[in-house]
Amino acid sequence: MAALTSSRAGLRAGVQPTFAVLGLLTLLGGWAFVAAANIMPASFFPGPWLVCERMVELLRAPYAGHLLQEHLLASLQKFVTSYGFAVLIGVPLGLAIGRFQPFRLFTLPFLEGLRFIPPIPWVPFSILWFGTGILAPAFVIFMGALF
């Protein structure tokens, strides 16, 4: 019986990556088919080959004054900084809430109210509070990571 169970587990372990690859190929094939069928103009729905060509162009030629790698690095820095602040605030806050009952009774109602707000509704508030600079998206990432 144990051999049958272990062979089933091995079979399932081999099938999962196959389904993942099959799903990815189906997605790319469907995308290429819809783009080749010209259901929508290429400017609205480019095929995967046009997207790859444009991405290679952006690796070599600047867009808005910077290469694609620089834009990716700026986004990654924004994410890591915001996530780091969320960890620096969230972990001690969670430990304090778990350890001190008066602090938990005081803060938990407020935090529970904020917990159910998804990150997207924070976008207009962050733009109003911080403008359109780097702080607005950093605040949205922070709130998403904290709650």
Side-chain angles (χ1 to χ4, degrees):
M1 186 69 171
L4 181 62
T5 305
S6 79
S7 68
R8 284 183 185 167
L11 180 65
R12 273 187 255 139
V15 169
Q16 288 177 349
T18 304
F19 278 127
V21 169
L22 187 62
L24 183 63
L25 290 175
T26 302
L27 177 70
L28 286 172
W31 178 14
F33 175 77
V34 171
N38 287 327
I39 296 171
M40 295 174 68
S43 59
F44 291 114
F45 195 80
W49 51 90
L50 289 175
V51 172
C52 288
E53 286 175 11
R54 182 67 177 140
M55 193 164 56
V56 169
E57 281 179 34
L58 290 174
L59 290 171
R60 296 186 191 131
Y63 175 77
H66 299 284
L67 295 174
L68 181 62
Q69 302 91 310
E70 295 172 88
H71 287 291
L72 291 173
L73 182 61
S75 295
L76 186 62
Q77 286 174 337
K78 195 181 312 177
F79 171 78
V80 168
T81 303
S82 301
Y83 189 81
F85 279 127
V87 168
L88 287 175
I89 291 173
V91 170
L93 184 65
L95 290 172
I97 288 171
R99 178 71 176 102
F100 304 109
Q101 186 175 7
F103 186 70
R104 175 183 25 223
L105 294 174
F106 179 74
T107 58
L108 212 53
F110 175 71
L111 294 176
E112 283 295 319
L114 290 176
R115 188 169 66 102
F116 292 102
I117 301 173
I120 297 299
W122 288 109
V123 171
F125 291 112
S126 68
I127 291 171
L128 284 172
W129 295 336
F130 304 113
T132 56
I134 191 169
L135 284 179
F139 176 75
V140 173
I141 296 168
F142 170 80
M143 293 303 285
L146 186 65
F147 291 104

